[in-house]
Amino acid sequence: MNIINKLIKFTAVCTLLFQSNANCQTNVNFKKTTLTRDFISEGAAVADLNKDGRLDIIAGYYWFEAPNWIKHEMAPSRTFEPRKEYSNSFLDLGMDVNLDGWDDVVIIDFPGKPAFWFENPKKQQVNEWKKHIIADSVGISNESPGFIDIDGDGRLDILCGDKTKKQIIWLQAPLKKGETEWKRFNLSAENVKGTEIFSHGIGFGDVNKDGIKDVVIREGWFEGTKNLNAGNWEFHAANLGEPCSHMQILDVNGDGKNDVVSASAHALGIWFHEQVDEQGKINFVTHQISNSTAQTHASIMADLNGDGRAEYITGKRFLAHHGRDPGDADPALLLYFEFTPAQKPYWKEYQIDNDSGAGLNIVAKDINKDKKIDIIVSNKNGVFLFENFINKK
């Protein structure tokens, strides 16, 4: 009888997982590889660290060498306890910081702590990669800083808040070979919203379609100018929902206006904030896209199906607060949403996996060189690679 009851319960759970949203479809067109089940980072990155022509996977102070995902350590670290502590790596990025031809690793630590980068030792055998502080005097605030090419030079920068002066700022990666310092530029005035140490939600895109990208936070948006060091971008108050992760700017419903898509960092909900005109001013009306899972603390846009239009990828930050929140330990879903502007409800939801989730940043890159975008995540559940086998449209 116990076995029968367990089977009935298991069937019920599976039914809930796969039918939790009427517009959700299970997508099995991904091959899942578990690199480790250890909690070592809530950030992930990719880079060719050993210059063998293959992209390696990075999670915190560790990197996994392609193609067999052999684990290496860049500096002394350890496995963390998912129900007791946070890691020393919240968001990761792989890039050649000092332009010496070798990819390095950028790490954003716990909110408010200095960000830094590990310099690739090239072929030298060292016990620890050299560490450079990115923003010693700038305590990076906002729990969803963005790795974004702010100035259009082809190199990723960091969009975030400065908790000291409470400004929206960006940190520019070095532009000359041998340089190691990142330059700080301020976009907003001091003492603005969205810059508290644990604030949630920031994004970069053209809200008003004037050809200049703006910054969005959940309390509104800062109107961009061509001067990326102006310090005076005008703030327009608007209701862009609850505390969220990375905010994406795109035209969801095909009406020619750019909307905002966001996902709840610690509660339940994924939303489409529709841009509307109210007496000549921009405002937003919020629509729920999904309530399939809570604590979607990261998102990224990438063209997964090859139709030329980017999909929205997000997932559950498993045990975000060590199991203290409602639904904290629910199945760790990884999802993506295909937008269909010509057909209501304007999106289709697909479940990629129910035992991985996402951490604080998601990577979307072609790992296996098949010209399809793959997905890499790292969180308290482990480190995972999802190879994309969706047939191109």
Side-chain angles (χ1 to χ4, degrees), residues 22-53:
N23 197 40
C24 180
Q25 303 176 44
T26 303
N27 194 308
V28 294
N29 294 315
F30 288 86
K31 175 186 174 184
K32 178 181 179 180
T33 300
T34 301
L35 279 67
T36 180
R37 280 288 185 177
D38 292 338
F39 172 33
I40 55 176
S41 174
E42 297 210 64
V46 297
D48 182 5
L49 295 183
N50 56 358
K51 290 196 77 169
D52 66 353

Side-chain angles (χ1 to χ4, degrees), residues 208 210 213-215 221-225 232-236:
N208 56 358
D210 65 352
K213 292 186 177 179
D214 314 294
V215 170
W221 59 287
F222 295 88
E223 185 173 353
T225 69
N232 62 355
W233 284 18
E234 183 181 358
F235 180 69
H236 301 273

Side-chain angles (χ1 to χ4, degrees), residues 3-4 33 44 87 188 220 272-273 289 308 321:
I3 294 175
I4 293 173
T33 300
S87 72
S188 77
F272 145 49
H273 307 284
I289 290 179
H321 289 151

Side-chain angles (χ1 to χ4, degrees), residues 110-139:
F110 190 87
K113 289 188 176 181
F116 61 91
W117 62 279
F118 282 126
E119 182 178 351
N120 194 323
K122 304 175 183 178
K123 294 184 179 180
Q124 300 177 47
Q125 296 295 321
V126 298
N127 294 324
E128 186 172 347
W129 291 24
K130 186 176 181 180
K131 182 177 178 180
H132 301 266
I133 299 298
I134 291 176
D136 197 9
S137 61
V138 177

Side-chain angles (χ1 to χ4, degrees), residues 170-189:
W170 64 287
L171 302 169
Q172 184 186 56
L175 299 178
K176 294 181 180 179
K177 184 176 180 180
E179 287 185 349
T180 60
E181 294 185 7
W182 295 56
K183 294 180 180 178
R184 175 197 184 280
F185 297 99
N186 51 317
L187 299 177
S188 77

Side-chain angles (χ1 to χ4, degrees), residues 55 70 111 128 140 144 292-293 389:
L55 285 177
I70 300 168
E128 186 172 347
I140 289 181
S144 298
S292 293
T293 187
F389 290 97

Side-chain angles (χ1 to χ4, degrees), residues 248-278:
Q248 310 295 343
I249 301 173
L250 65 150
D251 182 1
V252 172
N253 57 1
D255 66 354
K257 299 178 184 138
N258 273 339
D259 312 299
V260 179
V261 178
S262 65
S264 179
H266 292 293
L268 180 67
I270 299 168
W271 307 286
F272 145 49
H273 307 284
E274 180 184 7
Q275 185 179 147
V276 295
D277 187 314
E278 288 187 354

